[in-house]
């Protein structure tokens, strides 16, 4: 059975999906960490029993965050690289992932009155948790933008 640790990061380095060794402070690793925080906060929100419909949406978002992590982990592999030598193709973020989020947001907004001011984070424990996930996702987004400005993704 595979272990959940690799014993290869003891010297401040870790591997990307293509085997490239990088510092644990590498921007991609920092982005993974930010995505992990977002995913963990969404998992916490799900543990608050948000209802089946919202739970299903949050589960899909969590899975999509893993796909985004795969995208970040495999810098040299072009999208759609076929399976080879027993390795699976790298999942990639696609337009369908973005469309899912847009449709979901639009459906939620349709049920709300028009906004007249900023929403203060808070309300219920679930709402506060989702506000935290939103704030963390913005930090992850900024780090990923930094990466795209320094190298091709």
């Amino acid at each position: 059975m595979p272990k959940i640790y690799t014993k290869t990061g003891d010297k401040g380095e870790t591997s990307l999906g293509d085997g490239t060794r990088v510092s644990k402070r590498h921007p991609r690793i920092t982005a993974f960490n930010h995505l992990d925080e977002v995913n963990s906060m969404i998992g916490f929100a799900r543990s608050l029993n948000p209802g089946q419909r919202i739970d299903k949406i949050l589960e899909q978002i969590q899975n999509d965050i893993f796909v985004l992590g795969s995208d970040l982990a495999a810098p040299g592999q072009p999208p759609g690289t076929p399976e080879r030598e027993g390795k699976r193709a790298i999942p990639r973020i696609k337009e369908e992932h973005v469309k899912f989020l847009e449709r979901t947001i639009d459906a939620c907004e349709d049920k709300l009155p028009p906004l007249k001011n900023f929403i203060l984070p808070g309300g219920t424990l679930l709402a506060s948790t989702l506000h935290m996930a939103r704030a963390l996702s913005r930090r992850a987004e900024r780090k990923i933008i930094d990466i795209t400005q320094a190298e091709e993704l």
Side-chain angles (χ1 to χ4, degrees):
M1 172 177 271
K3 300 229 182 248
I4 61 171
Y5 61 93
T6 62
K7 290 188 174 186
T8 61
D10 304 349
K11 295 180 175 86
E13 289 188 342
T14 191
S15 294
L16 295 176
D18 65 356
T20 304
R21 299 290 293 173
V22 296
S23 166
K24 286 187 175 183
R25 295 186 55 83
H26 188 282
R28 285 178 188 265
I29 305 307
T30 301
F32 292 151
N33 292 339
H34 292 328
L35 290 174
D36 192 34
E37 290 173 349
V38 175
N39 217 339
S40 296
M41 191 58 66
I42 293 171
F44 182 71
R46 291 183 68 206
S47 76
L48 298 173
N49 299 315
Q52 187 175 13
R53 186 176 139 270
I54 293 173
D55 186 66
K56 188 170 177 61
I57 291 167
L58 295 176
E59 180 182 26
Q60 181 63 53
I61 292 169
Q62 284 187 294
N63 283 307
D64 292 350
I65 289 170
F66 279 125
V67 173
L68 180 55
S70 294
D71 239 347
L72 288 169
Q77 301 237 197
T81 301
E83 296 182 24
R84 66 184 201 294
E85 301 170 15
K87 294 183 181 180
R88 290 183 293 159
I90 307 287
R92 300 292 186 183
I93 289 293
K94 298 177 182 152
E95 188 68 23
E96 66 195 57
H97 296 100
V98 175
K99 293 292 184 198
F100 167 76
L101 284 176
E102 290 173 346
R103 281 191 313 272
T104 302
I105 292 167
D106 289 345
C108 292
E109 279 187 338
D110 286 347
K111 297 176 183 171
L112 297 173
L115 290 178
K116 294 184 168 111
N117 51 22
F118 287 106
I119 299 172
L120 290 175
T124 66
L125 182 57
L126 176 61
S128 297
T129 303
L130 291 173
H131 277 290
M132 280 294 301
R134 176 190 53 78
L136 291 169
S137 70
R138 287 187 163 182
R139 183 170 59 187
E141 177 186 28
R142 288 189 304 273
K143 179 49 72 178
I144 292 167
I145 288 170
D146 287 346
I147 295 167
T148 63
Q149 291 176 348
E151 61 183 282
E152 188 174 334
L153 279 180

